[in-house]
Amino acid sequence: MTTHETTDPAEPAPTVKCVVWDLDNTVWDGILLEDGEAQLRPGIREVIVELDRRGILHSIASRNDHDAAVAELRRHGLLDYFLYPQINWNAKSSSVRSIAKSLNLGLDAFAFVDDDAVERGEVGFEIPEVRCIDAAEAAELAERPEFSPRFVTEDSARRREMYLADQERNRVEQEFTGPQDAFLATLGMTLTIVPAQEEDLFRAEELTVRTHQLNTTGYTYSYEELDAFRRADTHELLVARLEDRHGPYGTIGLVLVAKDGDLWTLKLLLMSCRVMSRGVGGVMINHLRRRARDAGARLRAEYLPNGRNRMMLVTYKFTGFRQLPGEDGPTVFEADLADVPDDPSYLKVEVLPGTDRAR
């Protein structure tokens, strides 16, 4: 896996996950409906392409004629860079919220770029979590720490491609009539669970930093910490990858298990928000329940609420975990290993060699 370090790790900054662009006098000079055609502002193409390479997504919130703006973006070869573009006459804060919902990202992961101080003020007032940026600064975004993830992995460089595949999945799902399991069966999904290798650690670190909604503890780990866990006899670090007939989702899950004799403790379970509706979290947990049962071990799990990850609490409760008494520190659950269900029929699970090794 090819990786690139893009900023000094000694100066971490919360990374923007999506930039939402205005169009008139922001992406291009002038007002499209008045000028007919528009020239891109200096440096805009380069910054869009570079941020895309780093795995930062792009979208649009523009008051404009939809068809004319789409044609102009296509003429400049930029249309495919923008996911779920909102080109309409709505309030731009409404457009940003719509994009966030479509991408399933928290609003604090967004930056909004507009030349108009009133538009920036409207978004900033309605959604204070969003970073609002003057279009005069747009060409220099790639130099700012919040647009510079520590590592660029193969998964991050393909993030837009994977979201485009998600758009197609969503379109097909909306047109499907029938129960959810029947739709999932049409996808031909394969989940692969494998011990983390050195080349997986950059993506694993990226997952812990980027993922909040589906992180059981909110813990974040650096490459160096993850590598130490990977090498230690007292821990096991697993990654999960998912693909279907529309293409790969990439590495979408990370599991860290601490092992102390016959007591296994799930210190971290996180899943990419993009697979929230696929039931993968429960499959991962049941995989660990079966392994602990077969090894004669007890399986516990830690949970720390972070304001967004209640879904993971629900997942534990629906997969045979009961809460243990205790007030300080993380909530601790213990799994019932007596009756672990089979994996769902719509999902093929492949466990690669190494994940069943005894410690």
Side-chain angles (χ1 to χ4, degrees), residues 37 85 96 105 109 111-112 158 161 172 199 211 234 244 261 269 321 327 350:
E37 286 190 351
V96 172
L105 294 176
F112 171 65
R158 297 176 61 194
E161 175 187 339
V172 173
E199 60 266 25
T211 303
T234 54
D244 67 17
L269 168 68
F321 282 78
E327 298 182 358
E350 294 183 347

Side-chain angles (χ1 to χ4, degrees), residues 21-41 44 60-66 68-70 72-73 76 82 86-89 92 112-117 119-120 133-136 138:
W21 297 84
D22 173 46
L23 292 177
D24 291 338
N25 290 315
T26 299
V27 168
W28 49 59
D29 282 321
I31 299 175
L32 182 63
L33 291 182
E34 295 178 0
D35 302 332
E37 286 190 351
Q39 297 303 311
L40 297 182
R41 297 186 67 198
I44 294 299
I60 293 169
S62 174
R63 296 176 187 271
N64 232 308
D65 178 83
H66 180 274
V70 165
E72 190 68 8
L73 289 165
H76 289 291
F82 297 103
Q86 301 296 300
I87 304 172
N88 50 48
W89 303 104
K92 292 188 179 178
F112 171 65
V113 183
D114 198 306
D115 68 296
D116 190 326
E119 299 284 19
R120 297 196 304 272
I133 298 170
D134 191 329

Side-chain angles (χ1 to χ4, degrees), residues 42-83:
I44 294 299
R45 181 189 303 278
E46 291 78 8
V47 77
I48 289 173
V49 171
E50 174 58 21
L51 295 185
D52 177 77
R53 184 192 70 82
R54 297 180 187 181
I56 296 173
L57 306 173
H58 298 283
S59 191
I60 293 169
S62 174
R63 296 176 187 271
N64 232 308
D65 178 83
H66 180 274
D67 293 346
V70 165
E72 190 68 8
L73 289 165
R74 184 178 289 113
R75 185 174 77 85
H76 289 291
L78 291 178
L79 181 61
D80 288 345
Y81 283 92
F82 297 103
L83 302 174

Side-chain angles (χ1 to χ4, degrees), residues 200-221:
D200 295 313
L201 298 183
F202 297 109
R203 171 57 175 156
E205 181 194 64
E206 181 184 46
L207 272 173
T208 70
V209 171
R210 289 177 62 95
T211 303
H212 304 290
Q213 291 171 286
L214 302 184
N215 184 330
T216 53
T217 57
Y219 298 152
T220 61
Y221 295 104

